[in-house]
Amino acid sequence: MIWLIMPSIERNLEAWDRSYHWSGHGDEWTDQARFCGKPYGEWKDSIAVHFINPNLGPASTALEVAPGHGRWTGYLAKKAEKLVLADLSPSCIGFCRRRFSGMDNISYHVNDGRSLPFIKEASVDFIWSFDSFVHMEKDVIASYFSEFSRVLRPGGKAIIHHAGRNHPTLGLHAFLKPLGFIGERVYQLLSMGRVNTHDGWRSNVSREMVRELAGDCGLIIEAQVDSWGKDKEYNTGLFKDCITTMRKQR
Ligand SMILES: C[S@@+](CC[C@H](N)C(=O)[O-])C[C@H]1O[C@@H](n2cnc3c(N)ncnc32)[C@H](O)[C@@H]1O
């Protein structure tokens, strides 16, 4: 019943560092692929082909925020010259360190869940995060975007997968949440347009909010998408998520 509790930094740390069992190291999360009617491997590759690969070259420095057990890390590390990993969970960073010990272009950092002090200004070409900002609330996202603006090189890009609840309904959360399970279901229907068995522990965030937070940090929104591929065959519809591409001005 963790999805009845909103995802703060402390609760994310508790969930991913201590409670979660990581049975497939992230590859157990097949529900979004199933929702698209696609085999999991195909869905995963489509994300690399569409969002990761075109943004990396042999001289690129990439940053992955919140890699967990490294579900996307291999794709990034193979394409980039250097890859920086930052996660608030010491056990996740420890796991990645062991998993990718054969690669010498990755650096590993446990952070405070909102800042990237170990990265120099204007040193990163591409930032990637999937299935992690979906669990971050507005203040945390604002803090990361301010850091993105600092660490990205002019023209550098960030692609972030985040919650995309219906913006006008966000304020209802405070009234419906105290009602417990029923209130959560009603809020899910209003803010996501559908009711699943749970809300994927999505934060109370909309695509409009993300656009505004990026703008506040001087980041330019290039795209906000909820589907990709030939005939839009892949989508983020299960929890009404969004994938935002933003760029630092040249
Ligand atoms: C659901 S897992 C996703 C992991 C990975 N991105 C994937 O797709 O398999 C969420 C990850 O986000 C990390 N995380 C959550 N909130 C964070 C924050 N504020 N800063 C850094 N990492 C965070 C957790 O420790 C965990 O590794």
Side-chain angles (χ1 to χ4, degrees), residues 9 12 16-17 22 25-26 29 64-72 86-89 92 111-114 129-132 135-136 140 144:
I9 289 181
N12 266 286
W16 308 114
D17 193 63
W22 294 96
H25 306 300
W29 296 316
E64 184 178 11
V65 179
H69 278 200
R71 180 161 58 136
W72 310 100
D87 197 298
L88 57 66
S89 157
C92 288
N111 78 343
D112 61 359
R114 53 173 73 245
S129 192
F130 194 89
D131 250 352
S132 296
H135 308 306
M136 296 180 201
V140 174
Y144 272 125

CSV table of all heavy atoms in Angstrom, one decimal, residues 9 12 16-17 22 25-26 29 64-72 86-89 92 111-114 129-132 135-136 140 144, ligand 1:
chain,number,residue,atom,x,y,z
A,9,ILE,N,11.7,12.5,-0.5
A,9,ILE,CA,13.1,11.9,-0.6
A,9,ILE,C,13.3,10.8,0.4
A,9,ILE,O,13.9,9.8,0.1
A,9,ILE,CB,14.1,13.1,-0.4
A,9,ILE,CG1,14.1,14.0,-1.6
A,9,ILE,CG2,15.5,12.5,-0.1
A,9,ILE,CD1,15.1,15.2,-1.5
A,12,ASN,N,11.5,7.7,-0.7
A,12,ASN,CA,12.2,7.0,-1.8
A,12,ASN,C,13.5,6.3,-1.3
A,12,ASN,O,13.7,5.2,-1.8
A,12,ASN,CB,12.7,8.1,-2.8
A,12,ASN,CG,11.6,8.3,-3.9
A,12,ASN,OD1,11.5,7.4,-4.8
A,12,ASN,ND2,10.9,9.4,-3.9
A,16,TRP,N,13.7,2.3,-2.0
A,16,TRP,CA,14.6,1.7,-3.0
A,16,TRP,C,15.9,1.2,-2.4
A,16,TRP,O,16.5,0.3,-3.0
A,16,TRP,CB,14.9,2.7,-4.1
A,16,TRP,CG,13.6,3.2,-4.7
A,16,TRP,CD1,13.1,4.5,-4.6
A,16,TRP,CD2,12.6,2.5,-5.4
A,16,TRP,NE1,11.9,4.6,-5.2
A,16,TRP,CE2,11.5,3.4,-5.7
A,16,TRP,CE3,12.4,1.2,-5.8
A,16,TRP,CZ2,10.4,3.0,-6.4
A,16,TRP,CZ3,11.3,0.8,-6.4
A,16,TRP,CH2,10.3,1.7,-6.7
A,17,ASP,N,16.3,1.8,-1.3
A,17,ASP,CA,17.6,1.4,-0.7
A,17,ASP,C,17.3,0.2,0.2
A,17,ASP,O,18.2,-0.6,0.4
A,17,ASP,CB,18.1,2.6,0.1
A,17,ASP,CG,19.6,2.3,0.5
A,17,ASP,OD1,20.4,2.2,-0.4
A,17,ASP,OD2,19.9,2.2,1.7
A,22,TRP,N,14.2,-5.8,-5.8
A,22,TRP,CA,15.0,-5.7,-7.0
A,22,TRP,C,15.1,-7.1,-7.7
A,22,TRP,O,16.2,-7.5,-8.1
A,22,TRP,CB,16.4,-5.1,-6.8
A,22,TRP,CG,16.3,-3.6,-6.4
A,22,TRP,CD1,16.4,-3.1,-5.2
A,22,TRP,CD2,16.2,-2.5,-7.3
A,22,TRP,NE1,16.3,-1.8,-5.2
A,22,TRP,CE2,16.2,-1.3,-6.5
A,22,TRP,CE3,16.1,-2.4,-8.7
A,22,TRP,CZ2,16.0,-0.1,-7.0
A,22,TRP,CZ3,15.9,-1.1,-9.2
A,22,TRP,CH2,15.9,0.1,-8.4
A,25,HIS,N,16.2,-6.5,-11.1
A,25,HIS,CA,17.1,-5.3,-11.2
A,25,HIS,C,16.5,-4.3,-12.1
A,25,HIS,O,17.1,-3.6,-12.9
A,25,HIS,CB,18.5,-5.7,-11.7
A,25,HIS,CG,19.1,-6.8,-10.8
A,25,HIS,ND1,19.3,-6.6,-9.5
A,25,HIS,CD2,19.5,-8.0,-11.1
A,25,HIS,CE1,19.8,-7.7,-8.9
A,25,HIS,NE2,19.9,-8.6,-9.9
A,26,GLY,N,15.1,-4.2,-12.1
A,26,GLY,CA,14.4,-3.2,-12.8
A,26,GLY,C,13.7,-3.8,-14.0
A,26,GLY,O,12.6,-3.3,-14.5
A,29,TRP,N,9.9,-4.6,-14.2
A,29,TRP,CA,8.8,-3.7,-14.4
A,29,TRP,C,8.4,-3.7,-15.9
A,29,TRP,O,8.7,-2.9,-16.7
A,29,TRP,CB,9.3,-2.3,-14.0
A,29,TRP,CG,9.6,-2.1,-12.6
A,29,TRP,CD1,8.9,-2.6,-11.5
A,29,TRP,CD2,10.7,-1.5,-12.0
A,29,TRP,NE1,9.5,-2.3,-10.3
A,29,TRP,CE2,10.6,-1.7,-10.6
A,29,TRP,CE3,11.9,-0.9,-12.5
A,29,TRP,CZ2,11.6,-1.2,-9.7
A,29,TRP,CZ3,12.8,-0.4,-11.6
A,29,TRP,CH2,12.7,-0.5,-10.2
A,64,GLU,N,23.3,10.0,-15.7
A,64,GLU,CA,22.1,9.4,-15.4
A,64,GLU,C,21.7,9.6,-14.0
A,64,GLU,O,22.4,9.3,-13.0
A,64,GLU,CB,22.2,7.8,-15.7
A,64,GLU,CG,20.8,7.2,-15.5
A,64,GLU,CD,20.8,5.7,-15.7
A,64,GLU,OE1,21.8,5.1,-15.9
A,64,GLU,OE2,19.6,5.1,-15.8
A,65,VAL,N,20.5,10.3,-13.8
A,65,VAL,CA,20.1,10.5,-12.4
A,65,VAL,C,19.2,9.3,-12.0
A,65,VAL,O,18.2,9.0,-12.8
A,65,VAL,CB,19.3,11.8,-12.4
A,65,VAL,CG1,18.7,12.1,-10.9
A,65,VAL,CG2,20.1,13.0,-12.8
A,66,ALA,N,19.5,8.8,-10.9
A,66,ALA,CA,18.6,7.7,-10.3
A,66,ALA,C,18.6,6.4,-11.1
A,66,ALA,O,17.6,6.0,-11.6
A,66,ALA,CB,17.2,8.2,-10.1
A,67,PRO,N,19.8,5.8,-11.4
A,67,PRO,CA,19.9,4.6,-12.2
A,67,PRO,C,19.3,3.4,-11.6
A,67,PRO,O,19.1,2.4,-12.3
A,67,PRO,CB,21.4,4.5,-12.4
A,67,PRO,CG,22.0,5.1,-11.2
A,67,PRO,CD,21.1,6.2,-10.9
A,68,GLY,N,19.1,3.3,-10.3
A,68,GLY,CA,18.6,2.1,-9.6
A,68,GLY,C,19.7,1.0,-9.7
A,68,GLY,O,20.8,1.2,-9.4
A,69,HIS,N,19.3,-0.1,-10.3
A,69,HIS,CA,20.3,-1.2,-10.5
A,69,HIS,C,20.8,-1.2,-11.9
A,69,HIS,O,21.3,-2.2,-12.4
A,69,HIS,CB,19.6,-2.6,-10.2
A,69,HIS,CG,19.7,-2.8,-8.7
A,69,HIS,ND1,19.5,-4.1,-8.1
A,69,HIS,CD2,19.8,-2.0,-7.6
A,69,HIS,CE1,19.6,-4.0,-6.8
A,69,HIS,NE2,19.8,-2.8,-6.5
A,70,GLY,N,20.6,-0.1,-12.6
A,70,GLY,CA,21.4,0.1,-13.9
A,70,GLY,C,20.6,-0.4,-15.1
A,70,GLY,O,21.3,-0.8,-16.1
A,71,ARG,N,19.3,-0.4,-15.1
A,71,ARG,CA,18.5,-0.9,-16.3
A,71,ARG,C,18.9,-0.2,-17.6
A,71,ARG,O,18.9,-0.8,-18.6
A,71,ARG,CB,17.0,-0.8,-15.9
A,71,ARG,CG,16.1,-1.3,-17.0
A,71,ARG,CD,14.7,-1.5,-16.5
A,71,ARG,NE,14.1,-0.4,-15.9
A,71,ARG,CZ,12.8,-0.1,-16.2
A,71,ARG,NH1,12.1,-0.8,-17.0
A,71,ARG,NH2,12.2,0.9,-15.6
A,72,TRP,N,19.2,1.1,-17.5
A,72,TRP,CA,19.5,1.9,-18.7
A,72,TRP,C,21.0,2.2,-18.8
A,72,TRP,O,21.4,2.7,-19.9
A,72,TRP,CB,18.7,3.2,-18.7
A,72,TRP,CG,17.2,3.0,-18.5
A,72,TRP,CD1,16.6,3.1,-17.3
A,72,TRP,CD2,16.3,2.4,-19.4
A,72,TRP,NE1,15.3,2.7,-17.4
A,72,TRP,CE2,15.1,2.3,-18.7
A,72,TRP,CE3,16.3,2.0,-20.8
A,72,TRP,CZ2,13.9,1.8,-19.3
A,72,TRP,CZ3,15.2,1.5,-21.4
A,72,TRP,CH2,14.0,1.4,-20.6
A,86,ALA,N,24.3,9.2,-10.5
A,86,ALA,CA,23.9,9.8,-9.2
A,86,ALA,C,22.6,9.2,-8.7
A,86,ALA,O,21.6,9.3,-9.4
A,86,ALA,CB,23.8,11.3,-9.4
A,87,ASP,N,22.6,8.6,-7.5
A,87,ASP,CA,21.4,8.0,-6.9
A,87,ASP,C,21.5,8.3,-5.5
A,87,ASP,O,22.5,8.2,-4.9
A,87,ASP,CB,21.3,6.5,-7.3
A,87,ASP,CG,19.9,6.0,-7.1
A,87,ASP,OD1,19.4,6.0,-5.9
A,87,ASP,OD2,19.3,5.5,-8.1
A,88,LEU,N,20.3,8.5,-4.8
A,88,LEU,CA,20.3,8.7,-3.4
A,88,LEU,C,20.5,7.4,-2.6
A,88,LEU,O,20.7,7.4,-1.4
A,88,LEU,CB,19.1,9.5,-2.9
A,88,LEU,CG,17.7,8.9,-3.1
A,88,LEU,CD1,17.3,7.7,-2.4
A,88,LEU,CD2,16.7,10.0,-2.7
A,89,SER,N,20.4,6.3,-3.3
A,89,SER,CA,20.5,5.0,-2.6
A,89,SER,C,21.9,4.4,-2.6
A,89,SER,O,22.4,4.0,-3.7
A,89,SER,CB,19.5,4.0,-3.2
A,89,SER,OG,19.9,2.7,-3.0
A,92,CYS,N,21.9,1.0,-4.3
A,92,CYS,CA,21.8,1.0,-5.7
A,92,CYS,C,23.1,1.3,-6.4
A,92,CYS,O,23.6,0.7,-7.3
A,92,CYS,CB,20.7,2.0,-6.2
A,92,CYS,SG,19.0,1.4,-5.8
A,111,ASN,N,24.0,10.7,-3.8
A,111,ASN,CA,23.7,12.1,-3.5
A,111,ASN,C,22.6,12.3,-2.5
A,111,ASN,O,22.1,11.3,-1.9
A,111,ASN,CB,23.4,12.8,-4.9
A,111,ASN,CG,22.0,12.6,-5.4
A,111,ASN,OD1,21.3,11.7,-4.9
A,111,ASN,ND2,21.6,13.5,-6.2
A,112,ASP,N,22.3,13.6,-2.3
A,112,ASP,CA,21.3,13.9,-1.2
A,112,ASP,C,19.9,13.9,-1.7
A,112,ASP,O,18.9,14.3,-1.1
A,112,ASP,CB,21.6,15.3,-0.6
A,112,ASP,CG,21.6,16.4,-1.7
A,112,ASP,OD1,21.3,16.1,-2.9
A,112,ASP,OD2,21.8,17.6,-1.4
A,113,GLY,N,19.7,13.5,-3.0
A,113,GLY,CA,18.3,13.4,-3.5
A,113,GLY,C,17.9,14.7,-4.2
A,113,GLY,O,16.7,14.8,-4.6
A,114,ARG,N,18.8,15.7,-4.3
A,114,ARG,CA,18.3,16.9,-4.9
A,114,ARG,C,19.5,17.7,-5.6
A,114,ARG,O,19.2,18.7,-6.3
A,114,ARG,CB,17.5,17.8,-4.0
A,114,ARG,CG,18.2,18.1,-2.7
A,114,ARG,CD,17.5,19.2,-1.8
A,114,ARG,NE,16.2,18.7,-1.3
A,114,ARG,CZ,15.0,19.1,-1.6
A,114,ARG,NH1,14.8,20.0,-2.4
A,114,ARG,NH2,14.0,18.6,-1.0
A,129,SER,N,17.0,10.2,-17.4
A,129,SER,CA,16.4,9.6,-16.2
A,129,SER,C,15.0,9.0,-16.6
A,129,SER,O,14.2,9.7,-17.1
A,129,SER,CB,16.2,10.6,-15.0
A,129,SER,OG,15.9,9.9,-13.9
A,130,PHE,N,14.9,7.7,-16.3
A,130,PHE,CA,13.6,7.0,-16.6
A,130,PHE,C,13.1,6.3,-15.4
A,130,PHE,O,13.9,5.7,-14.7
A,130,PHE,CB,13.8,6.0,-17.8
A,130,PHE,CG,12.5,5.5,-18.4
A,130,PHE,CD1,11.9,6.2,-19.4
A,130,PHE,CD2,11.9,4.4,-17.8
A,130,PHE,CE1,10.7,5.8,-20.0
A,130,PHE,CE2,10.7,4.0,-18.4
A,130,PHE,CZ,10.1,4.7,-19.4
A,131,ASP,N,11.8,6.4,-15.2
A,131,ASP,CA,11.1,5.7,-14.1
A,131,ASP,C,11.6,6.2,-12.7
A,131,ASP,O,11.4,5.4,-11.7
A,131,ASP,CB,11.3,4.2,-14.2
A,131,ASP,CG,10.0,3.5,-14.5
A,131,ASP,OD1,8.9,4.2,-14.5
A,131,ASP,OD2,10.0,2.3,-14.8
A,132,SER,N,12.2,7.4,-12.6
A,132,SER,CA,12.6,7.9,-11.3
A,132,SER,C,12.0,9.2,-11.0
A,132,SER,O,11.5,9.4,-9.8
A,132,SER,CB,14.2,7.9,-11.3
A,132,SER,OG,14.7,6.7,-11.4
A,135,HIS,N,8.7,9.5,-9.4
A,135,HIS,CA,8.5,9.4,-7.9
A,135,HIS,C,9.0,10.7,-7.2
A,135,HIS,O,9.2,10.6,-6.0
A,135,HIS,CB,9.2,8.2,-7.4
A,135,HIS,CG,8.9,6.9,-8.1
A,135,HIS,ND1,7.6,6.5,-8.3
A,135,HIS,CD2,9.7,6.0,-8.7
A,135,HIS,CE1,7.6,5.3,-8.9
A,135,HIS,NE2,8.8,5.0,-9.2
A,136,MET,N,9.3,11.8,-7.9
A,136,MET,CA,9.8,13.0,-7.3
A,136,MET,C,8.8,14.1,-7.3
A,136,MET,O,8.2,14.3,-8.3
A,136,MET,CB,11.1,13.4,-8.0
A,136,MET,CG,12.2,12.5,-7.9
A,136,MET,SD,13.7,13.1,-8.8
A,136,MET,CE,14.6,11.6,-9.1
A,140,VAL,N,11.7,18.8,-5.4
A,140,VAL,CA,12.9,18.0,-5.8
A,140,VAL,C,13.2,18.2,-7.3
A,140,VAL,O,14.4,18.4,-7.7
A,140,VAL,CB,12.6,16.5,-5.5
A,140,VAL,CG1,13.8,15.6,-6.0
A,140,VAL,CG2,12.5,16.3,-4.0
A,144,TYR,N,16.6,19.7,-9.0
A,144,TYR,CA,17.4,19.1,-10.0
A,144,TYR,C,17.5,19.9,-11.3
A,144,TYR,O,18.6,20.0,-11.9
A,144,TYR,CB,16.8,17.7,-10.4
A,144,TYR,CG,17.4,16.6,-9.5
A,144,TYR,CD1,16.5,15.8,-8.8
A,144,TYR,CD2,18.7,16.4,-9.4
A,144,TYR,CE1,17.0,14.7,-8.0
A,144,TYR,CE2,19.2,15.4,-8.6
A,144,TYR,CZ,18.4,14.6,-7.9
A,144,TYR,OH,18.9,13.6,-7.1
B,1,LIG,C1,11.9,2.9,-9.7
B,1,LIG,S1,13.6,3.0,-9.5
B,1,LIG,C2,14.1,3.3,-11.2
B,1,LIG,C3,15.5,2.9,-11.4
B,1,LIG,C4,16.0,3.0,-12.9
B,1,LIG,N1,15.9,4.4,-13.4
B,1,LIG,C5,15.2,2.1,-13.8
B,1,LIG,O1,14.5,2.6,-14.6
B,1,LIG,O2,15.3,0.9,-13.6
B,1,LIG,C6,13.8,4.6,-8.8
B,1,LIG,C7,15.2,5.0,-8.5
B,1,LIG,O3,15.3,6.4,-8.2
B,1,LIG,C8,16.1,6.7,-7.1
B,1,LIG,N2,15.7,8.0,-6.5
B,1,LIG,C9,14.4,8.3,-6.1
B,1,LIG,N3,14.4,9.5,-5.7
B,1,LIG,C10,15.6,10.1,-6.0
B,1,LIG,C11,16.2,11.4,-5.8
B,1,LIG,N4,15.4,12.4,-5.3
B,1,LIG,N5,17.4,11.5,-6.1
B,1,LIG,C12,18.2,10.5,-6.6
B,1,LIG,N6,17.7,9.3,-6.8
B,1,LIG,C13,16.4,9.1,-6.5
B,1,LIG,C14,15.9,5.5,-6.2
B,1,LIG,O4,17.0,5.3,-5.3
B,1,LIG,C15,15.9,4.4,-7.3
B,1,LIG,O5,17.2,3.9,-7.6
